[in-house]
Amino acid sequence: MDTYQKWLQAEMEWIDIYCSKIRRQTLFVTTPLVLAGTAVLIGALTVVGGGSMEDFGYGAVSGFVLGMIVCSIFLLILLPTLRPKRYAKKIDKCVRGLSLNELEKELLAREMLEADEEHKISYTITGPGAKGTPGRFVLTPHFAFLEGSCPYAILVRLSDVAKIRRNEERKTAAERHAKSRTVYRFTLYTIGFYRKDRFQRGLANSDLPDEAFGFFDAGVRERVMGLLRETGIEM
């Protein structure tokens, strides 16, 4: 296994802690509660409708079967999204987006594996749709890497960057429920990276940054900015 694959393996082990937690919670807490809830609910509705206790039993069995069908569909959708390999593929796609050659990929992997804790910031993402997923920022001599956000992995090659700017954006997100919709208004705290060649590509200072990190928590953004100041890039 080369250094790059070792790094991807380490990334899979990191995210698997979260994936395993969600799998256990779903299989041993959420699923039993749904099965019990549907069984009791259908059984109770049978009694309310004038049925006997025997009818309650038949209703409870029907509710249990209905719960199994619902849970099976839910698990078929959820479990494939909790495979660590899925996240490793997202990271690999992010790396390929920078068009790194093999030597650069090995350099990236080695720096990521050797990064000390002082240049890592781990946090829990709290915001609309985040569900407490883990996030992590890693700064190495040549790269800045953010994972856990949306998109899942964002990689910046520091030698490409002319300046770094922070910004704040007011956002609106909607969460749909069965018969309602909840609208969230929040502030997204961003760090924008502006490449050295943006003018050659027809972009002006007023245009959007070439790459950006987003955070729901201003404190996390400031911690990341604190590490980025070590790069000496204009801010």
Side-chain angles (χ1 to χ4, degrees):
M1 184 184 297
D2 60 24
T3 307
Y4 184 72
Q5 292 302 321
K6 287 180 181 178
W7 173 51
L8 292 182
Q9 180 63 40
E11 291 295 332
M12 285 192 288
E13 292 172 0
W14 178 76
I15 195 61
D16 190 46
I17 296 173
Y18 168 75
C19 292
S20 297
K21 175 184 173 182
I22 299 301
R23 283 195 297 266
R24 288 194 301 270
Q25 181 178 322
T26 302
L27 292 172
F28 302 117
V29 178
T30 305
T31 298
L33 286 176
V34 171
L35 293 176
T38 53
V40 172
L41 177 62
I42 301 300
L45 289 175
T46 303
V47 173
V48 171
S52 63
M53 290 306 296
E54 182 178 1
D55 294 325
F56 172 84
Y58 290 130
V61 171
S62 299
F64 186 83
V65 173
L66 175 63
M68 287 186 64
I69 295 172
V70 172
C71 289
S72 296
I73 295 172
F74 174 69
L75 292 173
L76 284 173
I77 296 172
L78 176 67
L79 293 181
T81 69
L82 295 174
R83 293 182 294 110
K85 278 189 176 181
R86 177 172 175 267
Y87 294 94
K89 288 180 179 178
K90 291 176 180 287
I91 294 174
D92 185 55
K93 181 179 178 181
C94 166
V95 172
R96 285 188 279 111
L98 275 185
S99 300
L100 302 182
N101 59 41
E102 290 303 314
L103 289 177
E104 288 177 314
K105 287 173 64 175
E106 288 296 303
L107 173 65
L108 165 67
R110 186 172 68 253
E111 290 186 350
M112 290 294 173
L113 290 171
E114 295 175 353
D116 56 52
E117 293 303 316
E118 293 182 356
H119 290 87
K120 295 180 183 178
I121 296 175
S122 297
Y123 58 99
T124 300
I125 302 174
T126 55
K131 301 178 182 178
T133 52
R136 182 166 63 174
F137 170 73
V138 182
L139 179 67
T140 76
H142 298 94
F143 300 95
F145 180 61
L146 184 71
E147 58 185 326
S149 57
C150 184
Y152 176 75
I154 303 174
L155 180 66
V156 175
R157 181 167 42 200
L158 297 175
S159 61
D160 293 339
V161 180
K163 61 183 178 181
I164 300 172
R165 293 286 186 270
R166 55 184 170 184
N167 198 6
E168 297 176 7
E169 303 174 18
R170 292 295 296 169
K171 297 284 187 178
T172 301
E175 185 175 299
R176 296 185 180 276
H177 306 282
K179 296 183 179 180
S180 63
R181 187 179 73 158
T182 303
V183 177
Y184 299 92
R185 291 180 174 82
F186 61 95
T187 301
L188 185 66
Y189 303 92
T190 63
I191 298 175
F193 298 86
Y194 296 79
R195 283 170 46 179
K196 297 173 181 176
D197 64 350
R198 63 187 285 108
F199 296 115
Q200 289 91 324
R201 291 183 289 117
L203 298 175
N205 282 327
S206 57
D207 290 324
L208 293 174
D210 298 287
E211 196 62 83
F213 295 163
F215 307 91
F216 292 120
D217 188 330
V220 175
R221 194 266 305 270
E222 292 310 305
R223 290 168 62 196
V224 172
M225 284 293 292
L227 285 182
L228 287 172
R229 288 190 182 95
E230 297 181 10
T231 64
I233 297 173
E234 178 189 341
M235 293 187 181

